[in-house]
Amino acid sequence: MSAVVRGLVARGAGQELTVEDVRLPRPDAGEVRVRIRAAGVCHSDLSMVNGTLAPPFPLVLGHEAAGVVVEVGDGVERVRVEDHVVLNWAPACRQCWFCRHDEPWLCASSGTPAVARGATADGAQLHVTLGLGALAQEVVVPQHAVIAVPPALPWAEAALLGCAVLTGVGAVNNTAAVKAGDSVAVIGLGGVGLAALTAARAAGAGPVIAVDVSPAKRELALAAGATDYLVSDDRLAKTIRELTEGRGVDHAFECVGRSATIRTAWRSARRGGQVIVVGMGAKDDEVGLSALDIFHSARTLRSSVYGSSDPDREVPELARAVLDGSLSLAPLITDRIPLDAAPAAFERMARGEGARSVVLFDE
Ligand code: APR
Ligand code: ZN
């Protein structure tokens, strides 16, 4: 074991989160050690600890982050010490059936909720979220889980590229292939939904209808590119049809991860339109749809995993878009906090407040 660093640890579902010392292994052959500079608090981390998923504990949270490479194991060629990198929670093996068929986001060897790595201060086996555990001062990860980005990219923005932005932007551009003039609804305006709004507007979609549960998200939604903002109620699907000449939207993005919002998205899409499930829901939360409606509506229901993206190609592209000003992530970041404030950020997220909280680490 080498480094002892501070990390945000979950001890079990529903238990209080604690910042504690964690022991990381030395980078093995093909691995790198990264000093984290910024890490976002994403709803998938919350899903690890609120009972939506059932990962092994103790677990270091965090999977949306950027930092500096500080050590490389034998045979690492992809990056060097001092490179700035974004972490990738679904690194593609490039060999499995999915990778060979151009669907690297479905790579057979990635996306495991928690991987055994390191130890707690008292020597117990530790696990890291999505192979990363990035809400910590450092991570040790396979070299394919890092993507070099230009040093000029600000840390908070760089962190968001690794999950919320790839996911939200990719859902719009890759999974749904939204075109100019298409109508869009985005349900759920956390980091992921706001990123989807930004991409829909940039693609020239209109109307771009943003939906959340409280009026508090209106300003964020409009700043991210929404043309209309609706507070979700029983009439939501009807109101969305009224905004689209009675039809419903071409693309409805569900960015919450619940059966109820998947059904709302379904009813909000036009005949022949598509519903893209971006949120990650619970195993036992079943969606009921009428067999007649499935036939008659001619809608497509599909999911978008990691924005159907190839992060190795798209993270550098998104980094360039941030640097040249064509992609603004400012509306996504509502809180910049130290690691000790991360437990409170999880509570805000559980209440649906704000957008992304980004933990900033000292150099
Ligand atoms: N209708 C509309 N919006 C809702 C509803 C609802 N019934 N319930 C919750 N929301 C809103 C919340 O108010 C919040 O603004 O959904 C938003 C979710 O945002 P975050 O908690 O910040 O989640 P985010 O990190 O954006 O992830 C969204 O995508 O990747 C997945 O696992 C992730 O399922 C999660 C989803
Ligand atoms: Zn995430």
Side-chain angles (χ1 to χ4, degrees):
M1 293 285 168
S2 72
V4 175
V5 300
R6 305 289 285 165
L8 184 70
V9 175
R11 293 259 160 197
Q15 291 191 31
E16 221 165 283
L17 305 179
T18 49
V19 176
E20 31 182 290
D21 284 347
V22 300
R23 292 168 193 276
L24 297 175
R26 296 289 307 267
D28 229 327
E31 293 184 336
V32 298
R33 182 160 65 92
V34 178
R35 185 158 300 149
I36 301 298
R37 296 299 307 274
V41 173
C42 172
H43 202 107
S44 304
D45 293 310
L46 182 60
S47 296
M48 297 283 167
V49 297
N50 70 3
T52 305
L53 301 176
F57 296 102
L59 176 68
V60 184
L61 297 172
H63 62 278
E64 177 180 86
V68 184
V69 176
V70 289
E71 189 181 351
V72 299
D74 288 343
V76 168
E77 289 174 352
R78 195 175 154 86
V79 286
R80 295 183 192 167
V81 169
E82 292 190 8
D83 277 358
H84 289 203
V85 294
V86 167
L87 302 188
N88 173 357
W89 57 253
C93 74
R94 307 286 172 198
Q95 280 159 18
C96 73
W97 188 92
F98 295 96
C99 285
R100 285 186 284 108
H101 290 79
D102 295 327
E103 295 183 349
W105 55 93
L106 301 180
C107 175
S109 62
S110 71
T112 311
V115 171
R117 186 171 305 147
T120 61
D122 48 19
Q125 173 70 62
L126 191 63
H127 302 83
V128 294
T129 297
L130 287 163
L132 300 176
L135 279 162
Q137 288 170 318
E138 295 187 358
V139 296
V140 173
V141 296
Q143 61 172 329
H144 293 291
V146 304
I147 301 164
V149 289
L153 188 65
W155 288 115
E157 276 83 351
L160 261 49
L161 295 189
C163 188
V165 175
L166 267 184
T167 301
V169 172
V172 167
N173 291 337
N174 301 334
T175 316
V178 171
K179 304 183 304 297
D182 288 356
S183 51
V184 165
V186 176
I187 301 173
L189 305 176
V192 173
L194 290 168
L197 277 184
T198 305
R201 195 58 186 278
V208 176
I209 305 164
V211 181
D212 207 288
V213 287
S214 84
K217 296 269 165 134
R218 176 184 296 274
E219 297 312 317
L220 283 176
L222 298 180
T227 57
D228 300 85
Y229 180 78
L230 301 175
V231 175
S232 186
D233 62 15
D234 295 346
R235 293 190 68 256
L236 180 71
K238 199 156 174 267
T239 312
I240 288 178
R241 284 199 294 276
E242 283 164 13
L243 289 169
T244 50
E245 299 166 332
R247 286 192 303 276
V249 289
D250 299 317
H251 316 273
F253 295 89
E254 196 275 355
C255 301
V256 182
R258 289 201 193 138
S259 58
T261 36
I262 293 172
R263 277 208 314 280
T264 305
W266 176 263
R267 292 203 313 275
S268 305
R270 67 165 168 83
R271 266 190 102 182
Q274 58 176 338
V275 177
I276 298 96
V277 177
V278 188
M280 178 178 60
K283 198 157 90 176
D284 57 359
D285 186 14
E286 298 197 357
V287 184
L289 297 174
S290 125
L292 177 61
D293 193 27
I294 290 172
F295 172 78
H296 181 257
S297 73
R299 295 180 184 118
T300 304
L301 174 65
R302 61 198 305 197
S303 87
S304 178
V305 173
Y306 217 177
S308 311
S309 68
D310 185 341
D312 284 337
R313 180 169 52 77
E314 291 173 51
V315 164
E317 283 172 12
L318 291 163
R320 280 194 291 278
V322 171
L323 287 171
D324 73 19
S326 56
L327 175 63
S328 167
L329 303 182
L332 277 65
I333 304 170
T334 47
D335 299 271
R336 293 168 191 260
I337 58 172
L339 184 61
D340 287 333
F346 275 78
E347 286 164 20
R348 279 199 300 279
M349 172 167 269
R351 292 194 298 268
E353 291 170 16
R356 269 297 186 268
S357 297
V358 179
V359 173
L360 296 173
F361 294 83
D362 297 331
E363 213 165 322

